[in-house]
Amino acid sequence: MSTALTLLAIQLISCIVPTCNAAAADSGPVACTHLTSSLGASKVAVSPLDLRYIASRGDYWNARQSNYHPSCIVYPASAQDVSIAVQAIRASGSRFAVKAGGHNTNNFFSSVDRGVLIDLGSLNAKSYDASTTLATYEPGSTYGELYDYYAQFDRTILGPTLAGVGTGAGLGGGLSYLSPQYGMACDDFRELEVVLPSGEIVTASAEPYPDLFFGLRGGGGNAYGIVTKYTVQSRPVSKFAAGNVIYVFEQSDAVAHAIRNFMQYNPDPKASIVATYIKLPTPGLGLNLDEAILLFLVYDGLDPGDIFGNFTSIPYLLNTMAIRNYPEVINMPVPFLAQLTRGDNTFRVGVHRVNDNSYQTTLNQWREWAEAHKGSYALLSFNFEPVPQSLTDASNSQNGGNAMQMPDGPWFWISYILETLPGLPQVEYEAVQDSFREMVEASGNADGLPLFINDASTDQNPLSTFSTFARLQQIKHKYDPDNFFAEKTGGWSFT
């Protein structure tokens, strides 16, 4: 049966099923019946005992998302399958969610209760064209799998600095170790195959669909449609001087000062850092004994010179600097962060300028909160994510810039990660979350700078901090005029 005929059949069935009245029906099972009929049982898991269902439902970075029970889970093998799924969900009035890597920690961004979960894991084709140096991939792979694949060509794509993150991170921007040279991951997009809320399949680029292409480059994931194929500019890679440097509590302020100096004065776009402060649940005894600092130092080349000298001159517990290829850089040992890959995790974000004391005041407020809330968390993380001038220049030079329209650097994002204790009663969980939110809000944000979608919590409404917010609202209305995606799945607010 052709796609068009299948969609027509779905629409006809939806009109004769007595329970199609959304006010009186559980529309999730209705959608699942349609999907099983149109896609076949091999692409739809209905039973909670199905091993595919168990794997999809259980694999989230925020383990609390696994508490929800989809009516069924769909495993599309093509953009056409995704289109059929969208049409069936629309016809039934069911809620739904789209899952790639399951990295976003917000409720219902990639999880659903009593609705349809579209798991994109089977869409994992990838290729490389040496004549154009363009890379093409589908959304079902993790970035680590993509880095491994393109390394055979001595190339890579821009994406996040952790291997297990799904491709949706690129739609929210994607901050790479190579970003100081080339911009954000979304800046390297060249074409995006998209299933629109109507079910139509289009290919968006600088021409055609330039508005849709603009919105999807840093403006979030399934706000305008479901991306089923990425064509991106790949980048050359060879060997890197890279490693982790780990410090203990007594060096905390000295390291923070070195981080600020690097963010403000580093002249070399080949040098990149991510700096992570970690709080353990053990008592600090007022001396920060529960604190450790983990730096990721990465240089695109064999000899960084003294570019990281401010860090290596501070007494450290461990220094793993070595010559590595790019997949090895991404997979540098991170024992402290392994726990963060799966747990009751919450993300929040802040944004600040480097020419003031916010680097220190925000860190101090985070420490005070950590000390006051011992027994409420399993792990805390405070991460500096620099945005240098070279990054914003590179971003704004490509395709008219991304949806964030990156203001001139240097400035930086702070990613706050809270992992609450497993099994924490709901009342206590909500109280900790409220207090954590208040701590981040008290730190404030710099005027005129965008919050980073990849690290944001739903209530932070990061799109409203973009200078392009009004334009993004217009794009959203154009491609989702009846608010189907806005009302039936989780995502960022355009109101």
Side-chain angles (χ1 to χ4, degrees):
M1 183 182 288
S2 70
T3 300
L5 289 176
T6 301
L7 297 180
L8 178 60
I10 289 170
Q11 292 167 350
L12 290 173
I13 292 171
S14 71
C15 292
I16 62 175
V17 174
T19 56
C20 68
N21 185 337
D26 185 347
S27 53
V30 174
C32 295
T33 298
H34 296 174
L35 287 163
T36 302
S37 174
S38 56
L39 293 175
S42 65
K43 294 179 181 177
V44 183
V46 177
S47 171
L49 300 180
D50 188 313
L51 293 180
R52 296 172 301 167
Y53 185 106
I54 294 170
S56 294
R57 179 173 167 256
D59 190 19
Y60 286 98
W61 280 55
N62 179 1
R64 294 179 74 91
Q65 302 305 307
S66 299
N67 293 335
Y68 302 118
H69 296 82
S71 301
C72 64
I73 304 177
V74 180
Y75 300 91
S78 66
Q80 289 72 27
D81 287 349
V82 175
S83 175
I84 290 169
V86 168
Q87 293 277 6
I89 292 164
R90 176 186 280 276
S92 69
S94 173
R95 289 196 60 80
F96 73 100
V98 181
K99 181 182 180 185
H103 180 259
N104 194 297
T105 63
N106 289 302
N107 276 343
F108 305 125
F109 276 50
S110 59
S111 61
V112 65
D113 203 28
R114 299 180 66 204
V116 179
L117 179 62
I118 302 174
D119 188 324
L120 300 177
S122 297
L123 287 170
N124 55 19
K126 44 188 117 30
S127 64
Y128 172 68
D129 186 337
S131 65
T132 63
T133 67
L134 293 178
T136 300
Y137 56 90
E138 293 177 336
S141 297
T142 65
Y143 271 102
E145 291 166 340
L146 295 173
Y147 299 148
D148 288 343
Y149 174 78
Y150 293 112
Q152 66 184 303
F153 308 108
D154 295 324
R155 310 289 294 188
T156 197
I157 60 169
L158 266 62
T161 56
L162 290 176
V165 178
T167 54
L171 298 171
L175 186 62
S176 167
Y177 289 125
L178 300 176
S179 286
Q181 297 180 71
Y182 303 118
M184 304 292 284
C186 63
D187 295 318
D188 273 350
F189 292 171
R190 295 297 178 261
E191 286 186 352
L192 298 172
E193 180 185 75
V194 188
V195 178
L196 298 178
S198 65
E200 181 184 1
I201 302 171
V202 302
T203 299
S205 64
E207 194 66 41
Y209 300 100
D211 51 354
L212 178 63
F213 187 56
F214 177 82
L216 287 167
R217 296 196 333 272
N222 53 334
Y224 319 93
I226 302 171
V227 176
T228 51
K229 185 191 298 182
Y230 300 78
T231 300
V232 308
Q233 178 60 61
S234 70
R235 298 298 179 178
V237 287
S238 182
K239 295 294 185 179
F240 291 74
N244 296 127
V245 180
I246 299 175
Y247 308 86
V248 289
F249 61 93
E250 68 257 32
Q251 304 302 338
S252 181
D253 291 338
V255 173
H257 185 67
I259 292 167
R260 198 278 291 270
N261 284 344
F262 181 89
M263 293 191 297
Q264 189 165 10
Y265 301 117
N266 170 48
D268 191 343
K270 291 187 175 183
S272 184
I273 71 166
V274 173
T276 297
Y277 280 69
I278 297 164
K279 280 286 186 181
L280 303 175
T282 52
L285 302 179
L287 299 172
N288 285 340
L289 297 175
D290 54 346
E291 185 171 298
I293 308 105
L294 175 63
L295 292 189
F296 298 78
L297 306 181
V298 177
Y299 188 79
D300 186 3
L302 297 176
D303 183 10
D306 62 355
I307 201 73
F308 298 130
N310 282 353
F311 299 116
T312 55
S313 64
I314 299 171
Y316 50 78
L317 182 65
L318 181 66
N319 182 344
T320 69
M321 290 293 290
I323 302 302
R324 309 172 190 269
N325 62 31
Y326 198 61
E328 289 170 339
V329 169
I330 295 297
N331 289 293
M332 288 190 297
V334 194
F336 291 111
L337 292 184
Q339 189 175 349
L340 286 175
T341 58
R342 299 292 185 271
D344 292 357
N345 294 313
T346 300
F347 294 172
R348 288 192 171 274
V349 67
V351 62
H352 304 275
R353 301 190 187 277
V354 300
N355 58 353
D356 58 25
N357 290 323
S358 58
Y359 80 99
Q360 188 69 65
T361 57
T362 53
L363 182 60
N364 289 343
Q365 287 175 315
W366 173 77
R367 283 177 178 152
E368 291 170 5
W369 188 92
E371 188 63 29
H373 290 82
K374 288 293 184 185
S376 297
Y377 60 85
L379 200 64
L380 285 176
S381 175
F382 176 105
N383 309 281
F384 289 100
E385 299 176 332
V387 181
Q389 177 78 47
S390 61
L391 186 162
T392 57
D393 287 347
S395 175
N396 292 320
S397 69
Q398 300 188 66
N399 293 311
N402 62 44
M404 287 178 278
Q405 293 289 279
M406 308 288 281
D408 287 346
W411 39 277
F412 62 97
W413 284 304
I414 295 174
S415 168
Y416 300 85
I417 303 176
L418 163 66
E419 182 179 315
T420 53
L421 296 169
L424 200 65
Q426 188 64 22
V427 172
E428 294 181 37
Y429 175 80
E430 291 176 358
V432 172
Q433 293 292 334
D434 289 345
S435 177
F436 188 63
R437 182 190 69 249
E438 291 166 1
M439 180 271 294
V440 174
E441 289 177 349
S443 297
N445 292 303
D447 292 336
L449 297 179
L451 292 176
F452 190 22
I453 280 181
N454 290 166
D455 296 334
S457 185
T458 312
D459 59 81
Q460 294 189 285
N461 198 13
L463 289 177
S464 67
T465 67
F466 292 12
S467 63
T468 61
F469 186 44
R471 181 180 176 187
L472 295 176
Q473 288 176 307
Q474 293 173 351
I475 297 168
K476 172 67 172 175
H477 180 70
K478 177 179 178 180
Y479 290 99
D480 189 16
D482 60 355
N483 280 328
F484 169 52
F485 272 35
E487 295 176 359
K488 296 300 184 182
T489 188
W492 303 111
S493 173
F494 284 80
T495 59

